[in-house]
Amino acid sequence: MPSRRHVAERAGRLPHVVREVRQGLDREQGWPGWMFVLFAASVLLFAAFGLHQRRRHRRDGSALVPPTLFRSFRVGVVVVMLAFSGITSFFLVLTYHMQLGLDWSALRTALVTVAFPVGIMATFQIAWRKGTANGRKFVAIGTSVMTLGTLAMIVAVSSQGAGIDWYHVAGAELIVGLGMGLCSPILTNVVLGDIPPQDAGAGSGVVNAVIQFVTAAGIAIVGVIFFSLTGSEVTGADRADRFSDATSVTLWYNVAVFALVALLSPLLPASKTPQAAPEAPAAETPAESSAPATKDRLRLDTA
């Protein structure tokens, strides 16, 4: 059991450890050679996987990812890639800006970020109830609102600088959350709208794999942009100003991807309206139903 003195010594060293971790995260680590080898190998493996799936599809139709699948939702895959590459990377930039640039605590940062899920909850039910029949329209409106929210964040960060307060950030995040709630519940269903029933499982798996990939890719892209603007050394009197400039520039990536999704949304599959069921024949009255039987009896009697 550690003594009180030992615990106090550890607590006293904690700020120094945090500072060293921050400095270690901000140093340039470089790109080792094996990383480029893995990049090249991933391209080759992806091409080999595509050829293998094409061959199996021609042979017996047992491909895990049928090549014909992408004829139905090629635009949908692009829309999913753009949308999810901007969602997670949006908060990566803001978190670094608030904690490293403005020196906000983790608790304050988390409380400000609550505005985003509040916005989602405010519009989620609207999209869930009305978006089935107007999928493309809701995706376009939702991503347009997200674009406006990101623009509001850029204006707040660039104009307020180090003096930005919590309500500036929370207000912009609330707008982004409102847009997210309008499009996220129905985006996958809209993208998979033209998939044949027999390929629904493969299509859903491809969409989920694309989401996982582009989430990491979006973080990598904005990370390169953001830290190339802030530099490897984040200490100094001008730290807040440098982070404000880097954040306002990097968020233009998110504006671009959200706006592109809004522009591409008319190319998504149209919502399928349920066809009216054929009218049931009118119920026969007892007199009408007994008429044929009466005629048959009369014929038998005359015979």
Side-chain angles (χ1 to χ4, degrees):
M1 186 112 181
S3 62
R4 292 184 179 179
R5 180 180 178 183
H6 186 61
V7 172
E9 289 178 355
R10 285 189 174 183
R13 290 199 304 267
L14 185 59
H16 303 284
V17 173
V18 173
R19 192 179 303 112
E20 290 176 2
V21 170
R22 284 186 174 184
Q23 292 175 356
L25 290 174
D26 297 324
R27 292 194 189 100
E28 292 290 342
Q29 299 296 324
W31 290 78
W34 56 266
M35 238 171 176
F36 295 99
V37 175
L38 290 179
F39 286 154
S42 65
V43 175
L44 295 176
L45 288 174
F46 187 77
F49 176 76
L51 293 174
H52 175 263
Q53 293 297 293
R54 189 178 297 274
R55 189 179 301 112
R56 292 198 64 169
H57 182 72
R58 289 175 179 174
R59 185 180 63 191
D60 54 8
S62 62
L64 180 64
V65 182
T68 56
L69 185 67
F70 295 95
R71 298 175 186 172
S72 304
F73 71 144
R74 200 174 304 170
V75 176
V77 170
V78 175
V79 167
V80 170
M81 291 177 67
L82 291 172
F84 283 92
S85 71
I87 292 169
T88 309
S89 59
F90 175 80
F91 289 98
L92 175 77
V93 173
L94 288 181
T95 302
Y96 273 114
H97 175 64
M98 289 185 284
Q99 291 195 248
L100 296 181
L102 302 176
D103 204 22
W104 289 7
S105 65
L107 178 60
R108 185 180 184 184
T109 302
L111 290 176
V112 170
T113 310
V114 169
F116 177 72
V118 169
I120 294 177
M121 289 189 294
T123 56
F124 180 89
Q125 289 296 329
I126 300 175
W128 192 255
R129 294 175 183 175
K130 306 293 185 181
T132 303
N134 304 283
R136 294 188 297 189
K137 184 183 297 185
F138 269 76
V139 172
I141 294 173
T143 50
S144 297
V145 173
M146 294 171 71
T147 304
L148 294 176
T150 310
L151 286 172
M153 185 70 73
I154 293 174
V155 172
V157 170
S158 58
S159 61
Q160 300 297 322
I164 193 171
D165 212 334
W166 67 269
Y167 51 85
H168 297 112
V169 180
E173 287 186 350
L174 179 64
I175 299 174
V176 176
L178 292 172
M180 184 71 179
L182 288 174
C183 67
S184 63
I186 58 172
L187 180 58
T188 303
N189 290 337
V190 173
V191 168
L192 297 175
D194 282 349
I195 298 296
Q198 65 271 15
D199 293 335
S204 178
V206 169
V207 169
N208 284 302
V210 168
I211 290 174
Q212 298 298 323
F213 171 75
V214 298
T215 298
I219 291 175
I221 291 171
V222 300
V224 170
I225 299 172
F226 184 74
F227 286 108
S228 65
L229 295 172
T230 60
S232 59
E233 184 63 38
V234 296
T235 59
D238 61 340
R239 178 182 61 177
D241 293 334
R242 286 164 55 191
F243 268 80
S244 297
D245 294 339
T247 300
S248 59
V249 171
T250 307
L251 286 178
W252 280 105
Y253 170 83
N254 304 85
V255 170
V257 296
F258 294 149
L260 276 174
V261 173
L263 292 174
L264 291 174
S265 58
L267 302 178
L268 292 172
S271 301
K272 297 180 179 179
T273 56
Q275 297 179 353
E279 295 184 359
E284 295 180 345
T285 62
E288 292 174 343
S289 60
S290 61
T294 304
K295 293 179 180 178
D296 292 340
R297 284 198 297 270
L298 289 173
R299 290 174 182 172
L300 290 173
D301 295 337
T302 56

